[in-house]
Amino acid sequence: MSEPAPHTGAGAGAWIFRPMHDPRMHERVVDQITFAVRSGAYRVGDRLPSVEQMAQDMQVSKPTVGEAIRVLSEFGVVKSRRGVHGGVTIVSDNIPTTLLMLTKGKAKSSLRELLEARRPVEMEIARLAAARAVPADLEAMQDSIDRLLDQGLGEDWTVRLHFDHFFHYAMGRAARSDLLAYYQHQILEGITVVVQDYFARVEDPAVVAELHRRTLDAIRGGATADVDQIMDEHLAYLERVTDSGEHPIPAPSP
């Protein structure tokens, strides 16, 4: 009995892996693949394109893609199989913080810069999501809230952060703007690297879930003024904590 052909990803037909030019190229490949996973284009159980296809899309060598796959496999994100029914399959959509530290390296932007960049990017993403979201997008955002409340209230802050960020990635997908979504991805990963202590010891998941619920309500309603109001409050949650000094978060060392 032959095996069924594997699913190739919900967004496989439209997803574009972009050309890159960088001396540490395999880390850039890792970043593009993790972005595809976190944004929902590829889900657990989906198979990535062939190494040859990804190398062609990103204009890198096949060994570079192979090294990226090796790293992702070591961190439990993908599994690689040889043979006719082989390929590279997504086995986890929870990208470990240790993998971010490996690929991002030393923080190049301060928390202040990251938060300043985040505000206009995510404000516009939310506005576009309110105008462009389809039912599947709204369901994905609701699912991230439900999973945060169901699985993210324990002691493991990485699980909490996983579902926290999934809401933002779902909102980015709903905006239908690949460039804004990629900026959002870079900013969120940068913030994660800089302020891990905040996510581990300070952030209240119940508050986050409520902010997400109200943001989703505003996106569903479609009124720009309502979206702007809740997003201002949503973004200010982290901004106020870092400004107040109540829970000081160190900037990256020079």
Side-chain angles (χ1 to χ4, degrees), residues 143-199:
D143 181 60
S144 74
I145 297 170
D146 294 341
R147 294 172 75 184
L148 174 60
L149 291 172
D150 183 51
Q151 303 175 44
L153 300 183
E155 295 183 359
D156 188 345
W157 67 272
T158 62
V159 173
R160 179 168 68 248
L161 183 64
H162 173 60
F163 295 121
D164 176 355
H165 280 185
F166 250 39
F167 178 88
H168 293 265
Y169 280 93
M171 189 169 65
R173 289 277 286 177
R176 303 292 185 271
S177 172
D178 290 344
L179 190 56
L180 279 174
Y182 190 64
Y183 288 156
Q184 177 195 47
H185 165 71
Q186 293 293 323
I187 292 166
L188 290 177
E189 290 201 338
I191 290 173
T192 300
V193 169
V194 173
V195 291
Q196 293 182 64
D197 187 60
Y198 164 80
F199 293 113

Side-chain angles (χ1 to χ4, degrees), residues 14-34:
W15 190 264
I16 299 173
F17 289 105
R18 303 179 185 280
M20 301 176 299
H21 304 281
D22 192 287
R24 302 180 70 176
M25 196 63 73
H26 78 279
E27 294 178 2
R28 299 287 303 279
V29 175
V30 168
D31 182 64
Q32 286 215 32
I33 294 174
T34 57

